[in-house]
């Protein structure tokens, strides 16, 4: 009897020992979760800093774009001014050309006049050669019959000589005037053409400057768009980190709740064990006298209890017949297969972009299940992912994040605690998707915009 009491007490203490040992394990888990929470907070701070830096870059690019656009407006005004000046020069050139045409007529008249004078002068020179020049004049003078006649003849000779000098003088003046007019008009036309060429050169440079500024504005707009896309991605990463932090807090609360329940169970078990030990000690003497009879009663009672337990109905939930064949079996590894179907696209380079997960395709109504125990950090409609669910897991002190995208529908909300193999949605084709499939990502750590923590799910899940 004494041996039996010692054995019972030893059994109770072993049970209590296992219960008492558990809190240290959970304390480690809470410590790990707390570290993960602090890590996420640190990453959120970094992301917020990156968002701030990106906003500054966007502002700087927009300032440069505004400056370039203002410069383009100024250049366009200069081009318009140059065009006006070129038009004015063209008008002047046209007028000068008209002047040249009019001058050609004057030149023609002058040339005719000069030609006639040349003929007169030629005749006069020929006459001088034939008569000896001055002798002719002497004969005229000495041939006078009286003094009055001499005076008249001297006047006539002087008049003829003066006329000859006037002809020669006018001849020289007309030739000089002709040359000056020709030179003046040609100089003016050449000057106008040079001025026009200079204006055209200036305008060409202005147009080149405008093309360069247009290209700069286009480049700045493209850079601004790229930075705005980065900012949107960082803001989404910030939201995901905030959701993951919330999920970690939920997990910590669950651990605390589990610890409290465990402590209550430990106290209750200790009290029951103490009470049972006292009862067994008090009843030991009485049980010795009727051990055989009591053993028979206990044996009969145990058989009856076993039969009763074997006949009780199962409380396991049943799945509809339409989905039983589509629900993947829960594997024994760290992660289980998230849905039925075949791998239609693997992780890696695709369409000049990084495909950060795998695609599992299947037709019909295909359930999607959680790949491991965790807390839903996000459940929302994304412009790219479509209906998407993010689940945060803490496994062996390591944070993991699984992503289930392009769902037809979502069956869990943010903050929900999910179990491995629990259905969380239905496979679909929402967001940037072609054909029904599940896009599944596995991240060793939190999800981020660059998806630098993504790992190949096929290295962790047997599909």
């Amino acid at each position: 009897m004494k041996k039996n009491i010692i054995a019972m007490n030893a059994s109770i203490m072993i049970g209590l020992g296992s219960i008492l040992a558990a809190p240290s394990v959970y304390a480690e888990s809470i410590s790990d979760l707390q570290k993960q929470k602090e890590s996420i907070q640190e990453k959120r701070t970094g992301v917020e800093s990156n968002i701030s830096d990106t906003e500054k870059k966007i502002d700087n690019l927009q300032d440069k774009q505004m400056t370039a656009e203002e410069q383009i407006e100024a250049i366009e005004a200069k081009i318009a001014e140059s065009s006006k000046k070129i038009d004015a020069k063209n008008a002047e050139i046209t007028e000068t050309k008209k002047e040249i045409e009019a001058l050609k007529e004057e030149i023609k008249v002058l040339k005719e006049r000069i030609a006639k004078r040349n003929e007169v002068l030629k005749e006069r020179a020929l006459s001088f050669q034939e008569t000896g020049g001055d002798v002719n004049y002497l004969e005229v003078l000495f041939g006078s019959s009286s003094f009055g006649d001499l005076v008249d003849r001297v006047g006539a000779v002087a008049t003829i000589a003066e006329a000859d000098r006037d002809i020669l003088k006018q001849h020289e003046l007309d030739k000089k005037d002709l040359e000056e007019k020709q030179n003046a008009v040609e100089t003016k036309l050449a000057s106008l053409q040079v001025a026009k060429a200079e204006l055209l050169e200036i305008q060409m440079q202005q147009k080149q400057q405008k093309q360069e500024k247009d290209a700069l504005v286009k480049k700045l707009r493209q850079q601004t768009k790229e930075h705005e896309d980065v900012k949107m991605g960082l803001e989404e990463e910030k939201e995901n980190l905030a959701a993951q932090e919330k999920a970690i807090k939920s997990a910590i609360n669950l651990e605390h709740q589990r610890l409290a329940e465990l402590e209550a169970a430990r106290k209750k078990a200790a009290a029951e064990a103490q009470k049972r030990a006292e009862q067994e000690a008090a009843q030991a003497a009485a049980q010795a006298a009727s051990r055989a009879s009591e053993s028979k009663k206990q044996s009969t009672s145990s058989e009856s209890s076993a039969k009763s337990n074997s006949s009780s109905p199962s409380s396991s939930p049943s799945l509809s017949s339409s989905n039983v064949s589509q629900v993947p079996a829960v594997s024994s590894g760290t992660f289980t297969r998230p849905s039925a179907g075949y791998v239609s696209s693997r992780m890696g380079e695709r369409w000049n972009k990084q495909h950060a997960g795998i695609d599992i395709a299947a037709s019909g109504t295909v359930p999607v299940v959680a790949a491991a125990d965790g807390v839903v950090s996000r459940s929302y409609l994304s412009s790219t992912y479509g209906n998407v669910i993010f689940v945060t897991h803490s496994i062996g002190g390591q944070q993991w994040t699984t992503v289930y995208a392009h769902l037809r529908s979502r069956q869990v909300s943010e903050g929900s605690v999910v179990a491995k193999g629990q259905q969380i949605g239905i496979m679909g084709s929402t967001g940037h998707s072609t054909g029904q499939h599940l896009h599944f990502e596995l991240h060793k750590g939190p999800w981020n915009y660059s998806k630098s923590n993504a790992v190949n799910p096929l290295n962790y899940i047997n599909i």
Side-chain angles (χ1 to χ4, degrees):
M1 180 182 70
K2 187 175 182 181
K3 288 180 180 180
N4 288 337
I5 293 172
I6 293 171
M8 287 180 188
N9 287 335
S11 177
I12 292 166
M13 292 306 293
I14 289 170
L16 286 173
S18 64
I19 294 172
L20 290 169
S24 64
V25 176
Y26 286 111
E28 264 183 47
S29 177
I30 289 175
S31 176
D32 291 337
L33 290 169
Q34 192 65 39
K35 288 177 182 177
Q36 292 173 19
K37 176 186 169 186
E38 291 171 358
S39 175
I40 289 173
Q41 289 173 336
E42 184 178 347
K43 287 174 182 176
R44 276 186 66 191
T45 302
V47 169
E48 288 172 352
S49 176
N50 289 338
I51 290 173
S52 178
D53 291 342
T54 304
E55 287 175 343
K56 289 178 182 177
K57 289 178 182 178
I58 291 172
D59 291 340
N60 185 39
L61 287 169
Q62 288 176 340
D63 288 342
K64 287 181 179 179
Q65 182 179 324
M66 188 177 297
T67 301
E69 287 173 347
E70 289 173 354
Q71 290 173 345
I72 287 172
E73 289 180 3
I75 291 170
E76 286 175 343
K78 289 179 180 179
I79 291 172
E81 185 180 352
S82 298
S83 296
K84 287 181 180 178
K85 289 180 179 179
I86 290 169
D87 291 341
K89 291 298 176 188
N90 284 330
E92 287 185 50
I93 289 171
T94 301
E95 288 298 318
T96 303
K97 286 181 178 179
K98 288 180 180 178
E99 289 179 16
I100 290 173
E101 292 300 319
L103 185 59
K104 283 180 180 179
E105 293 298 322
E106 292 181 20
I107 290 170
K108 184 179 178 182
V109 172
L110 283 172
K111 282 182 178 179
E112 289 175 356
R113 190 180 303 161
I114 289 169
K116 289 179 180 178
R117 286 178 188 151
N118 282 335
E119 289 299 322
V120 172
L121 292 172
K122 282 179 182 178
E123 289 176 1
R124 186 81 64 189
L126 183 61
S127 175
F128 284 158
Q129 286 177 354
E130 292 175 349
T131 61
D134 292 338
V135 176
N136 190 23
Y137 288 109
L138 290 173
E139 288 178 352
V140 171
L141 292 175
F142 289 130
S144 58
S145 58
S146 64
F147 181 76
D149 185 29
L150 176 63
V151 172
D152 292 337
R153 291 189 179 212
V154 169
V157 170
T159 300
I160 293 169
E162 185 67 28
D164 287 344
R165 283 196 297 271
D166 287 343
I167 290 171
L168 290 170
K169 185 177 179 181
Q170 187 62 44
H171 191 62
E172 291 298 325
L173 287 173
D174 286 345
K175 286 177 69 177
K176 185 178 179 182
D177 184 51
L178 178 61
E179 289 173 357
E180 287 177 353
K181 285 183 177 180
Q182 281 182 324
N183 290 334
V185 173
E186 288 172 358
T187 301
K188 182 179 180 181
L189 181 61
S191 175
L192 289 171
Q193 289 174 337
V194 168
K196 178 184 176 182
E198 289 175 352
L199 287 171
L200 289 171
E201 179 66 23
I202 291 170
Q203 190 179 63
M204 186 177 71
Q205 292 174 357
Q206 290 168 343
K207 288 180 178 179
Q208 180 65 29
Q209 290 175 355
K210 183 178 180 298
Q211 288 177 354
E212 291 173 358
K213 293 298 180 183
D214 286 339
L216 176 61
V217 168
K218 184 178 179 181
K219 182 180 178 181
L220 290 171
R221 284 175 179 168
Q222 180 62 30
Q223 289 177 345
T224 301
K225 175 69 168 55
E226 290 171 358
H227 281 82
E228 285 174 347
D229 290 343
V230 170
K231 181 186 173 185
M232 287 178 64
L234 289 170
E235 287 174 343
E236 186 173 6
E237 182 178 348
K238 177 184 174 182
E239 292 175 2
N240 278 319
L241 286 170
Q244 289 180 14
E245 182 181 350
K246 186 178 178 181
I248 293 292
K249 286 180 181 178
S250 176
I252 290 173
N253 291 335
L254 288 173
E255 289 296 324
H256 281 299
Q257 182 180 345
R258 191 179 300 176
L259 276 176
E261 292 173 354
L262 188 62
E263 180 64 16
R266 185 189 67 78
K267 290 180 179 180
K268 182 178 179 182
E272 289 177 352
Q274 182 64 30
K275 183 177 179 181
R276 189 161 56 251
E278 291 173 356
Q279 288 175 349
E280 287 174 353
Q283 293 174 0
Q287 289 176 346
S290 58
R291 185 179 296 109
S293 176
E294 187 65 24
S295 296
K296 185 177 180 181
K297 289 179 180 180
Q298 287 179 355
S299 176
T300 303
S301 176
S302 296
E303 290 176 2
S304 175
S305 176
K307 289 179 181 179
S308 175
N309 288 336
S310 65
S311 63
S312 61
S314 172
S315 61
S316 301
S318 60
L319 294 169
S320 63
S321 58
S322 61
N323 286 340
V324 169
S325 60
Q326 294 277 21
V327 176
V330 179
S331 66
S332 58
T334 304
F335 297 97
T336 191
R337 182 188 182 107
S339 76
Y342 66 95
V343 177
S344 60
S345 183
R346 295 174 178 268
M347 183 175 178
E349 189 77 15
R350 189 178 75 172
W351 303 329
N352 296 323
K353 291 183 179 180
Q354 180 65 17
H355 189 232
I358 61 172
D359 293 342
I360 304 174
S363 59
T365 303
V366 185
V368 174
V369 302
D373 295 346
V375 178
V376 177
S377 54
R378 293 206 76 188
S379 177
Y380 70 111
L381 178 61
S382 164
S383 59
T384 54
Y385 278 136
N387 279 313
V388 62
I389 296 171
F390 289 72
V391 179
T392 299
H393 315 271
S394 180
I395 302 171
Q398 172 66 50
Q399 180 188 348
W400 297 81
T401 305
T402 50
V403 180
Y404 313 78
H406 307 315
L407 302 175
R408 183 190 305 174
S409 61
R410 294 172 279 118
Q411 297 176 358
V412 290
S413 57
E414 293 181 10
S416 300
V417 179
V418 294
K420 182 180 181 182
Q422 176 183 334
Q423 183 172 335
I424 58 176
I426 299 293
M427 184 186 292
S429 184
T430 57
H432 289 179
S433 170
T434 54
Q436 177 171 294
H437 69 281
L438 168 69
H439 174 74
F440 177 73
E441 294 178 12
L442 179 62
H443 298 262
K444 193 173 184 179
W447 181 93
N448 57 50
Y449 175 66
S450 62
K451 301 183 181 179
S452 58
N453 292 332
V455 295
N456 192 345
L458 297 178
N459 294 337
Y460 297 85
I461 302 173
N462 184 22
I463 295 181

